[in-house]
Amino acid sequence: MIRLEGITKHYDTGSRRVTALSGIDLAVAKGEIFGVIGHSGAGKSTLLRSINLLERPTSGRVIVDGTDLTALGTKQLQEQRRKIGMIFQHFNLLSSATVEDNIAFPLKLAKTPKADIRRKVSELLELTGLTEHRFKYPSQLSGGQKQRVGIARALAADPQVLLCDEATSALDPQTTNSILSLLLDINERFGLTIVLITHEMHVIRSICDRVAVIHEGTLVEQGRVVDVFLKPQHPVTLEFVEQVSDPVELPPAADLAARLLKITFLGERTYEPILSKAVQATGVTFSILQGTISKLKQVPYGQLVVKLEGDGAAIERTIETLRADGLDVEVA
């Protein structure tokens, strides 16, 4: 659906050249929610705005739904941009226009018939939970309501892609969760491809299918959220993971007669008594030293640090049994 090939962006400031992006290669599949996370100044906003060419790359290609946007003229690019909606951190609403008129604005620019505008606006008001706020002005709305107006406006032209530029960073945690739930509902209901940037791992963990980590203009890690979250490979990724979880780590093995394991469960198997069955079959005993259960998007996962005690051969059979059941087992 979206493919970035060798995207590089330089800014010339006087005699100095600043590189915001360096050789970015990225692919986003149709219908997925793709997150880009990085610290302030890492280049994530530049990367997001490169997708609709609000920031034109110094070099590289941006291909959306089979069309190379970097090869288009001004008029053709404007037509393609109608397929790409965008929501912003600070809402960017028209302060002198009502909620209804803010949502209708892109439809009026496209010279959509009035009857179609009324119908579409009513649908979007209902979708975003704003029907009772139809005739209010932005100054009369909460931050979450303003962002819902921004989402409705971005959806007005029935885009294929929705770009989210730090869409929840100005909101409190409860409101953030409600906006994330709305984005997830929109994605599932319409199959809309969503690309979002954030500096909050909670956002990535809550709704994204895949994630890319950007650092100093370079993608340092990318993959399924499950894989990146549970086994971060880059120090920056580890920093973000630690925002939302207590690290589950193996302590030093002090007792030579025991083995310490870190076991990772994924999916519905998180709730199954796999460990209990394994030790019953082998006759070893276990103690839970540390543990957590949570969710990545809608996928449950759990991590346990346990101490196994018993016959050495029986402990080895227990470890083999757990791994044969598809669990990730790290041994101290």
Side-chain angles (χ1 to χ4, degrees):
M1 181 65 182
I2 300 171
R3 198 164 77 249
L4 306 184
E5 299 179 350
I7 297 299
T8 296
K9 177 67 177 181
H10 299 303
Y11 295 101
D12 291 319
T13 56
S15 60
R16 184 166 172 261
R17 168 165 281 195
V18 176
T19 299
L21 298 174
S22 180
I24 300 291
D25 293 315
L26 192 64
V28 180
K30 182 176 177 60
E32 78 173 331
I33 302 180
F34 192 97
V36 178
I37 191 168
H39 292 300
S40 296
K44 55 187 185 296
S45 289
T46 304
L47 176 61
L48 187 79
R49 293 164 67 88
S50 294
I51 294 175
N52 58 3
L53 262 58
L54 289 180
E55 291 280 359
R56 183 171 283 273
T58 305
S59 61
R61 298 202 305 160
V62 178
I63 300 167
V64 178
D65 198 26
T67 300
D68 184 355
L69 302 190
T70 50
L72 299 180
T74 302
K75 184 176 180 180
Q76 292 171 309
L77 180 58
Q78 288 175 345
E79 292 174 356
Q80 290 298 316
R81 278 180 176 155
R82 294 194 186 103
K83 301 176 182 179
I84 305 173
M86 191 165 187
I87 58 176
F88 303 89
Q89 177 181 357
H90 298 296
F91 319 126
N92 287 17
L93 302 181
L94 302 170
S95 60
S96 60
T98 63
V99 168
E100 177 181 58
D101 288 337
N102 266 284
I103 297 171
F105 183 68
L107 296 173
K108 291 177 179 177
L109 287 180
K111 296 183 170 55
T112 305
K114 289 183 179 180
D116 291 340
I117 291 177
R118 285 194 297 270
R119 175 186 55 78
K120 189 65 177 180
V121 168
S122 294
E123 290 175 357
L124 291 170
L125 286 167
E126 182 177 356
L127 173 68
T128 54
L130 292 169
T131 301
E132 64 185 78
H133 304 291
R134 183 176 200 134
F135 301 113
K136 291 183 179 179
Y137 291 86
S139 62
Q140 299 172 292
L141 303 176
S142 68
Q145 289 165 345
K146 290 176 183 176
Q147 193 56 283
R148 286 172 180 269
V149 177
I151 292 170
R153 181 184 59 188
L155 297 176
D158 295 321
Q160 299 174 349
V161 174
L162 181 63
L163 306 180
C164 304
D165 188 358
E166 295 276 13
T168 60
S169 62
L171 307 175
D172 62 75
Q174 184 175 354
T175 305
T176 291
N177 289 338
S178 72
I179 293 299
L180 294 178
S181 294
L182 176 58
L183 291 174
L184 185 57
D185 178 57
I186 289 167
N187 167 259
E188 292 175 344
R189 190 180 301 195
F190 304 112
L192 190 67
T193 304
I194 298 177
V195 182
L196 61 85
I197 62 167
T198 183
H199 61 273
E200 300 171 295
M201 195 65 187
H202 166 68
V203 173
I204 301 295
R205 185 177 72 169
S206 297
I207 67 169
C208 291
D209 300 297
R210 292 194 300 132
V211 61
V213 183
I214 189 169
H215 179 60
E216 296 181 348
T218 302
L219 290 186
V220 295
E221 189 166 352
Q222 60 178 303
R224 295 191 311 156
V225 171
V226 165
D227 299 328
V228 172
F229 188 87
L230 294 180
K231 288 189 173 296
Q233 301 299 309
H234 193 276
V236 172
T237 311
L238 183 60
E239 285 180 35
F240 285 116
V241 170
E242 289 177 347
Q243 286 181 357
V244 292
S245 64
D246 296 323
V248 178
E249 298 178 352
L250 282 171
D255 186 353
L256 297 179
R259 300 295 295 276
L260 297 180
L261 312 181
K262 177 181 175 183
I263 307 170
T264 300
F265 303 79
L266 191 61
E268 293 305 317
R269 310 200 75 198
T270 302
Y271 306 115
E272 296 177 5
I274 299 172
L275 177 59
S276 294
K277 289 181 178 179
V279 298
Q280 286 172 15
T282 58
V284 305
T285 60
F286 73 94
S287 303
I288 297 176
L289 306 183
Q290 189 181 1
T292 183
I293 292 179
S294 190
K295 284 189 175 182
L296 295 169
K297 194 173 183 180
Q298 297 164 327
V299 179
Y301 76 94
Q303 290 185 311
L304 292 178
V305 172
V306 301
K307 180 169 71 171
L308 298 186
E309 295 179 281
D311 176 74
I315 289 176
E316 291 302 323
R317 288 199 303 274
T318 303
I319 295 171
E320 291 171 7
T321 298
L322 293 172
R323 286 174 171 162
D325 275 332
L327 302 186
D328 183 86
V329 181
E330 182 181 340
V331 182

